[in-house]
Amino acid sequence: MADRQNRVGSKIGGAGVAGASESNVDRRERLRKLALETIDLNKDPYFMRNHLGSYECKLCLTLHTNEGSYLAHTQGKKHQTNLGRRAAKDAMEKPDSMAPLTAQQQAALKAGTTPGFKRNVIKIGRPGYKVTKVRDPKTRQVGLLFEISYPEIAQEVEPRYRFMSAYEQQIQAPNKAFQYLVIAAEPYETISFKVQSKEVDRSEENLWSHWDVDQKMFTLQFFFKSDKRLLSSSRMESAPGYAPGTQTSGTQMANPLNPFHAPMRTAA
């Protein structure tokens, strides 16, 4: 038999210096005792017992045979690294109330408005809508009527809208012939309508919106500004001597180039 009493670093009557495996066992036992004093498994969000009776770490996706093995794992490098990564990710998604404000948020506070923070809202889909073409009988202006239903809209939330240029959006290739009407209401997805790039008549009687709280229906109507040629033809209709649809023999429609809007006579 080998003499173990006179080995280097051993005491008289001892079994010699412990090997690597014995050191690992002792280290795990010390970590388990330390974790028992500082960690409550009932409050650990990553501790889970599966149907086989073993234990899992939902953060690191590791399997453990007993609670001591899991507690030793929580003190290891892998688990601590993953905890740091999760904390950094949560800090990026959720703004910290103690963190300093950005330059944009500070400017909003100075201006007297509420600074905007990123909100994480779970979208539930697109709302139902109906679009109708309309025309003003007096001014002959063409427009659109939007009826959008929000049956599951969040409390104290009212839909909002804005007109967006084709160069502001990043979904489709920019086309100067079109513009976009964007309507948003949480928790529904933001929807947009592609309309002609004509100037919108923003007068109160031609651009209006209404939110029906009882029916959960948002209504928006607007008209495009009329073309100058259409306006001139409408003025010509109201001029004396112009009678469309009542043409008689020897009389034809008024000449638009005639400053007096007098009907033209044909030769007998």
Side-chain angles (χ1 to χ4, degrees), residues 222-235:
F222 70 90
F223 289 91
F224 296 105
K225 287 190 175 181
S226 300
D227 193 357
K228 294 182 179 179
R229 291 174 295 180
L230 296 177
L231 289 176
S232 61
S233 62
S234 63
R235 295 192 186 99

Side-chain angles (χ1 to χ4, degrees), residues 29 53 69 75 92 101 111 121-123 127 136 168 183 189 201-202 206 211 216-217 237 251:
E29 183 63 21
S69 176
Q75 303 300 315
M92 293 178 60
L101 298 178
V121 179
I122 300 177
K123 302 298 183 179
D136 193 326
E168 294 183 64
I183 304 176
E189 296 181 1
D201 190 351
R202 297 184 179 273
N206 291 333
W211 169 239
K216 298 294 190 296
M217 179 71 65
E237 292 176 359
T251 304

Side-chain angles (χ1 to χ4, degrees), residues 126 164-174 180 182 190 192 194:
R126 299 178 181 177
M164 178 183 295
S165 170
Y167 299 95
E168 294 183 64
Q169 55 87 28
Q170 300 178 356
I171 305 300
Q172 299 181 352
Y180 296 84
V182 183
T190 302
S192 64
K194 190 176 182 180

Side-chain angles (χ1 to χ4, degrees), residues 122-140:
I122 300 177
K123 302 298 183 179
I124 62 175
R126 299 178 181 177
Y129 61 88
K130 178 182 177 181
V131 183
T132 307
K133 294 182 179 180
V134 293
R135 181 188 291 271
D136 193 326
K138 295 182 180 180
T139 62
R140 310 299 296 171

Side-chain angles (χ1 to χ4, degrees), residues 20-92:
S21 60
E22 291 84 0
S23 299
N24 290 334
V25 171
D26 183 67
R27 180 180 58 84
R28 292 195 185 100
E29 183 63 21
R30 286 187 286 107
L31 291 176
R32 185 184 69 85
K33 292 180 180 180
L34 178 62
L36 284 174
E37 298 176 358
T38 57
I39 298 178
D40 186 5
L41 292 180
N42 296 328
K43 298 181 180 179
D44 191 348
Y46 307 114
F47 177 73
M48 182 183 70
R49 184 173 182 177
N50 57 22
H51 64 284
L52 299 176
S54 55
Y55 304 94
E56 296 182 9
C57 177
K58 295 190 293 184
L59 179 63
C60 305
L61 302 179
T62 55
L63 186 64
H64 306 276
T65 57
N66 50 47
E67 296 180 358
S69 176
Y70 173 80
L71 291 172
H73 162 73
T74 57
Q75 303 300 315
K77 181 179 180 181
K78 181 178 181 180
H79 189 82
Q80 296 296 327
T81 303
N82 290 336
L83 283 177
R85 292 177 179 174
R86 176 56 63 88
K89 183 179 179 181
D90 293 342
M92 293 178 60

